[in-house]
Amino acid sequence: MNSLTVNVPAKINLYLRLTGKRKDGYNSLCTIFQKINLYDRLTLKKAKGFRLIIDGITPCSVKENTIYKAYRLLKSSTRFKGALHVHLTKRIPAGSGLGGASADAAYTLLGMNRLFKLGLNQFQLLELGKKIGADVPFFLHKYPVALGVERGDLLINLPVRRKYWILLVIYEKKLSTKKVYKAFNYLAGFRMSLTKLSREVTILSLNFKQGKLVSLGKALKNDLTSVACSLMPEVKDILRSIKECGASACAMTGSGPTVFALFKNKREVQAARERLLEHRGFKTIVCQTLH
């Protein structure tokens, strides 16, 4: 096998609570990841030197790209002596809170391990993934839904399989993840009890599994939303507008600015999308949860 092509899924955060500050400077958090069927397309090919071609966005420098970081990390951590040509078709918007960069890195690690028959086990891949980014381990797992703790890189499979239609509202304007977290730490740093976290996760999981959208909407949490709204008021505006369009379960994903809404069927999500298109300044994508 000289090449392979894989679809790389995005994610949303159904739940995101910051629980304290770690000694290494990172935030401790508790989150629920959900994979969705919005995909980048990644082709890896054996070669004599490294080359990265990206369609769909204006690329950053190669050395800053998470695919290159995964390639270099794997090369320095194993006896791998080969090289790679990578062609990425980018459909997951960059800097949107949908995990595209982390997913691309994870699937590069998985793809190279398979393509070059490196024989790395799950634990070894996870250890490499953690060095690239806190969300990378989630994409290295096959879990469609998972609870992430610590930096979000310690994961527990959540067997809450249910299909939802999703409306994503994505701004061209981006929010700096570092800036959002820094603002939160300054304005509202706190430590939550494990009892409260456990209760909230249980309630959300139950409502998600049972399809109770009104109750689920109340259970969706993201501690970064208030900060994102203060830095970018459009986030608050779109949350209000999407609720007015009939979404009872909606929230911001990651550090923003993307907002998502959950629906039970295609008719409902399309109706909400049509009403939302009266507004300007963003684009919408309809997709589904993976389960």
Side-chain angles (χ1 to χ4, degrees), residues 55-204:
D55 299 330
I57 62 168
T58 302
C60 59
S61 69
V62 170
K63 290 184 179 180
E64 293 177 357
N65 190 280
T66 55
I67 291 174
Y68 180 74
K69 290 178 181 179
Y71 166 77
R72 291 298 303 170
L73 184 60
L74 201 57
K75 201 171 179 68
S76 64
S77 303
T78 67
R79 295 180 180 180
F80 168 65
K81 301 299 181 183
L84 192 67
H85 283 185
V86 182
H87 188 170
L88 176 66
T89 301
K90 194 70 182 162
R91 299 190 182 100
I92 304 170
S96 59
L98 295 169
S102 295
D104 292 338
Y107 278 76
T108 298
L109 291 175
L110 292 168
M112 288 181 66
N113 191 42
R114 179 182 170 193
L115 184 63
F116 294 100
K117 299 179 180 179
L118 301 177
L120 298 176
N121 60 35
Q122 179 82 343
F123 176 79
Q124 291 171 310
L125 288 168
L126 289 171
E127 289 301 301
L128 291 173
K130 289 177 184 179
K131 295 178 181 180
I132 302 171
D135 288 353
V136 175
F138 171 63
F139 293 103
L140 289 169
H141 282 286
K142 294 182 179 180
Y143 308 150
V145 191
L147 175 69
V149 296
E150 294 295 338
R151 292 172 56 203
D153 54 1
L154 295 180
L155 295 148
I156 301 169
N157 184 30
L158 292 180
V160 287
R161 311 288 185 259
R162 189 178 181 94
K163 179 179 177 179
Y164 286 97
W165 286 86
I166 304 170
L167 180 61
L168 298 175
V169 182
I170 302 166
Y171 283 95
E172 292 185 6
K173 182 180 176 182
K174 306 303 177 188
L175 275 174
S176 164
T177 297
K178 289 183 179 180
K179 189 174 182 179
V180 172
Y181 273 94
K182 184 178 180 180
F184 176 86
N185 291 336
Y186 175 74
L187 294 172
F190 64 91
R191 185 176 296 275
M192 292 184 64
S193 71
L194 290 177
T195 300
K196 183 176 181 179
L197 287 171
S198 178
R199 182 170 65 250
E200 288 185 350
V201 168
T202 300
I203 291 172
L204 189 152

